[in-house]
C-alpha cells in the first residue's frame, strides 16, 4: 500500500475543478466490470479511501494516483485525458456519488476543489515518460588500438607532436636517464606505464627483498623482476580513460625509476636499459604478481 493514500482537499471553495477524478474512476470501473472493493484491492488502497475519491471528498497522493491508473489499466496520460474530458463544470452535491455528478450543478462548501489535479497528473506523466524512456546506449568498448590512439593524442597534447607508437605498439617517452613506455593492454582493457631499468640481472633472494622494500615505500609505482630485467610500472584504468592522468603517470614512473637505477645497478649488476625504439617487446611483469622473482 502506498505510504500516503491522499489528503483531504481544502474546504470552503465553490470554484469549478480543472479535472474531476471521481466520475472517471466510476466510469472506468464499469468498463472493466470492477466493484469498488476490487478496484481498491487492485490498487493496494483501502476501500474507504477509494470511496472518498469517487465521491470527490479526497485528493490522491501522487503514488495513489499512479496505483489507481495501473489498476484501471490506464497510463497517467490516459487518466489525465479522461479527467479533462469530464469537463470543468461537473461538481458534486453533498454526499452525492461521483456517478451522480451533472454539468451545471453548484459545489457546496466543504467539498474538495480538484483544480490542482490536472497539474498533478501532468507531473506524473512527465515523470513516467522520463522513467520509461529508453536508457542511453552505453558507449561501445574501446579496442586496444583505439585506446593506444587516445594515449598518443593525450601525450601529444602535453609533451609534443613527436609522440608516436613504435613497431610493437608501445609509446616511448624519454624521462631523464630512463625510457618510459605506454602500452594498451586487453582483458581487462587498461593502460600500462612502465620503465625497464636494468637488463641482464640475475634473480636472487637479496634482489627480491630489496624490490619488496622499495615497493613498501613507493606509492603507486611497482618494482619487479621479470625475464632478467628490473622494471618499474603503473597501471591505469581504461574505462573510463582519463587523458589528463597519463602524463603524470609517466612522470611518476620515470622519477621512481631514476631514483633507484644507480643503487640497484651497484648492488645487483646488469646494464641500464635505454633505447629510443623498441626492437622487441620490453619486459613486463605479469599482472597480479606478488613475488617478483
Amino acid at each position: 500500500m502506498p505510504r500516503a493514500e491522499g489528503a483531504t482537499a481544502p474546504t470552503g471553495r465553490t470554484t469549478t475543478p480543472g479535472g474531476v477524478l471521481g466520475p472517471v474512476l466510476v466510469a472506468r470501473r464499469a468498463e472493466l466490470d470492477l466493484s469498488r472493493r476490487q478496484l481498491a484491492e487492485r490498487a493496494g488502497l483501502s476501500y474507504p479511501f477509494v470511496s472518498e475519491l469517487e465521491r470527490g471528498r479526497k485528493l490522491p497522493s501522487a503514488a495513489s494516483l499512479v496505483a489507481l491508473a495501473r489498476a484501471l489499466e490506464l497510463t497517467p496520460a490516459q487518466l489525465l485525458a479522461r479527467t479533462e474530458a469530464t469537463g470543468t463544470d461537473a461538481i458534486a452535491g453533498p454526499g452525492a456519488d461521483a456517478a451522480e455528478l451533472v454539468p451545471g450543478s453548484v459545489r457546496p462548501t466543504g467539498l474538495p476543489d480538484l483544480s490542482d489535479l490536472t497539474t498533478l497528473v501532468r507531473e506524473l506523466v512527465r515523470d513516467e515518460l522520463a522513467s520509461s524512456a529508453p536508457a542511453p546506449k552505453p558507449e561501445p568498448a574501446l579496442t586496444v588500438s583505439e585506446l593506444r590512439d587516445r594515449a598518443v593524442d593525450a601525450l601529444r597534447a602535453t609533451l609534443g607532436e613527436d609522440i608516436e607508437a613504435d613497431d610493437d605498439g608501445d609509446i616511448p617517452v624519454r624521462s631523464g636517464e630512463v625510457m618510459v613506455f605506454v602500452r594498451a593492454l586487453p582483458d581487462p582493457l587498461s593502460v600500462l606505464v612502465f620503465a625497464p631499468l636494468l637488463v641482464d640481472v640475475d634473480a636472487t633472494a637479496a634482489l627480491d627483498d630489496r624490490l619488496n622494500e622499495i615497493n613498501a615505500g613507493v606509492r603507486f609505482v611497482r618494482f619487479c623482476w621479470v625475464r632478467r630485467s628490473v622494471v618499474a610500472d603503473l597501471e591505469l584504468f581504461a574505462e573510463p580513460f582519463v587523458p589528463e592522468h597519463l602524463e603524470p603517470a609517466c612522470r611518476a614512473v620515470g622519477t621512481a625509476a631514476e631514483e633507484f637505477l644507480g643503487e640497484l645497478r651497484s648492488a645487483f649488476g646488469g646494464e641500464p636499459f635505454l633505447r629510443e625504439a623498441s626492437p622487441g617487446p620490453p619486459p613486463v611483469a605479469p599482472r597480479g604478481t606478488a613475488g617478483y622473482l
Side-chain angles (χ1 to χ4, degrees):
M1 181 178 295
R3 183 179 299 177
E5 291 183 331
T8 301
T11 61
R13 299 187 182 182
T14 58
T15 56
T16 58
V20 180
L21 181 61
V24 173
L25 300 182
V26 174
R28 183 57 176 168
R29 274 203 300 107
E31 292 176 10
L32 299 177
D33 195 21
L34 294 175
S35 68
R36 185 178 290 167
R37 189 168 300 280
Q38 287 173 322
L39 173 59
E41 291 174 354
R42 274 191 173 196
L45 303 172
S46 68
Y47 175 85
F49 177 65
V50 173
S51 177
E52 292 289 275
L53 288 177
E54 290 191 351
R55 292 175 180 273
R57 291 173 175 164
K58 284 189 180 293
L59 294 175
S61 67
S64 297
L65 198 56
V66 170
L68 284 167
R70 289 173 179 170
L72 293 170
E73 301 176 14
L74 297 171
T75 66
Q78 291 168 329
L79 183 60
L80 171 63
R82 291 186 179 224
T83 57
E84 291 180 335
T86 302
T88 58
D89 295 326
I91 306 172
D97 192 276
E100 300 171 353
L101 295 179
V102 293
S105 58
V106 179
R107 174 180 296 278
T109 300
L111 293 181
D113 175 12
L114 300 182
S115 58
D116 292 332
L117 181 60
T118 296
T119 300
L120 173 61
V121 179
R122 286 191 187 280
E123 291 176 354
L124 290 171
V125 171
R126 180 198 62 203
D127 294 342
E128 181 178 88
L129 291 176
S131 63
S132 63
K137 294 183 179 180
E139 292 186 6
L142 291 174
T143 65
V144 171
S145 61
E146 289 171 339
L147 180 58
R148 183 187 305 117
D149 291 342
R150 291 194 181 188
V152 168
D153 291 341
L155 290 172
R156 282 178 177 172
T158 54
L159 300 178
E161 293 295 327
D162 58 341
I163 299 295
E164 295 286 352
D166 61 23
D167 293 339
D168 298 311
D170 295 325
I171 307 167
V173 178
R174 181 67 180 267
S175 179
E177 298 181 17
V178 301
M179 182 67 72
V180 176
F181 294 89
V182 176
R183 175 182 293 181
L185 296 178
D187 195 29
L189 198 65
S190 63
V191 177
L192 185 70
V193 180
F194 64 96
L197 284 72
L198 298 168
V199 296
D200 298 329
V201 179
D202 293 329
T204 65
L207 175 60
D208 188 24
D209 289 342
R210 181 56 186 143
L211 294 181
N212 285 329
E213 289 175 357
I214 293 174
N215 288 332
V218 176
R219 297 181 63 190
F220 307 120
V221 179
R222 178 188 68 160
F223 284 75
C224 57
W225 179 96
V226 60
R227 296 208 299 252
R228 292 182 54 79
S229 298
V230 176
V231 181
D233 66 30
L234 185 160
E235 195 166 357
L236 299 175
F237 291 114
E239 295 176 340
F241 174 62
V242 182
E244 293 79 12
H245 291 174
L246 192 52
E247 188 274 333
C250 291
R251 188 168 63 249
V253 171
T255 299
E258 276 197 284
E259 180 179 353
F260 294 101
L261 173 60
E263 174 204 331
L264 292 173
R265 186 184 184 195
S266 298
F268 304 104
E271 294 297 326
F273 177 101
L274 180 59
R275 59 180 178 233
E276 296 294 340
S278 172
V284 179
R287 294 181 181 182
T289 303
Y292 304 121
L293 301 182

